[in-house]
Amino acid sequence: AKRDWGFAGDYVEAMWRMLQRPEPQDYVVGTGETHSVREFVARAFREVGLDWKDYVRVDKSLVRPAEVYQLVADARRAQEELPWKPRISFRELVSMMVQADVQRVEDQLTAEKAVFKNHAARNPKAPRQMREANPQKGPGRVPRAVSPVEQHAA
């Protein structure tokens, strides 16, 4: 199935422009381009230098049998009357989304490293204790939380 992928910020701008009109009207907003989920996934993985085929498996039992093949917006009226058109391309949208996820992971790793360093600095036995508490043994790993059930069983 193919969809009209667009950036929410562009759509918010279109909505704001609609609200500036003297009379209410119905408008369709969208890019007017279609891309499949497969294209989205391929571009996202390419953004981080990976081949999606090495990581993604399609489960045909989850494919919708009555799927509408193509949904695409005709935003000509919005483009003419508001005037509005999307600024962010499909390629830019995917890149923005991937980079936001990469940044979130980097921030999380930085925070986890800070917790590890802080704990290790205050407790000389911390590295050994942390490795023992973590089933994924190894230096530099952040300990996972241990549930009360696991603590009781130990």
Side-chain angles (χ1 to χ4, degrees):
K2 293 190 169 211
R3 296 293 182 263
D4 188 331
W5 300 78
F7 176 56
D10 285 341
Y11 298 151
V12 169
E13 180 190 349
M15 289 183 275
W16 180 83
R17 289 176 178 267
M18 288 177 209
L19 292 170
Q20 307 315 302
R21 303 287 299 174
E23 295 292 323
Q25 281 295 337
D26 291 329
Y27 294 97
V28 172
V29 294
T31 66
E33 298 176 11
T34 60
H35 300 276
S36 68
V37 173
R38 179 170 280 144
E39 286 175 80
F40 184 95
V41 170
R43 183 157 301 281
F45 275 80
R46 200 171 326 143
E47 185 75 22
V48 291
L50 299 172
D51 182 354
W52 71 274
K53 294 174 188 169
D54 295 335
Y55 300 90
V56 178
R57 300 289 175 258
V58 177
D59 184 343
K60 296 205 186 282
S61 72
L62 299 175
V63 175
R64 297 177 188 158
E67 183 70 41
V68 174
Y69 179 72
Q70 182 169 312
L71 292 176
V72 61
D74 180 357
R76 285 180 290 193
R77 183 175 185 185
Q79 290 171 357
E80 292 166 7
E81 293 181 14
L82 294 179
W84 172 87
K85 68 177 186 172
R87 297 178 191 194
I88 303 297
S89 69
F90 176 74
R91 173 179 262 164
E92 292 169 313
L93 174 66
V94 175
S95 180
M96 288 170 62
M97 294 173 75
V98 170
Q99 293 309 317
D101 284 346
V102 167
Q103 186 63 53
R104 190 175 307 114
V105 169
E106 287 174 353
D107 292 348
Q108 182 178 356
L109 290 173
T110 300
E112 288 174 355
K113 285 179 185 177
V115 167
F116 180 82
K117 279 181 143 181
N118 186 26
H119 183 71
R122 288 188 280 143
N123 184 349
K125 294 182 178 181
R128 182 180 60 80
Q129 290 170 340
M130 290 176 129
R131 283 195 306 273
E132 289 173 3
N134 190 341
Q136 300 173 347
K137 293 181 178 9
R141 298 225 186 249
V142 176
R144 68 175 180 79
V146 179
S147 74
V149 173
E150 291 173 309
Q151 287 175 345
H152 181 70

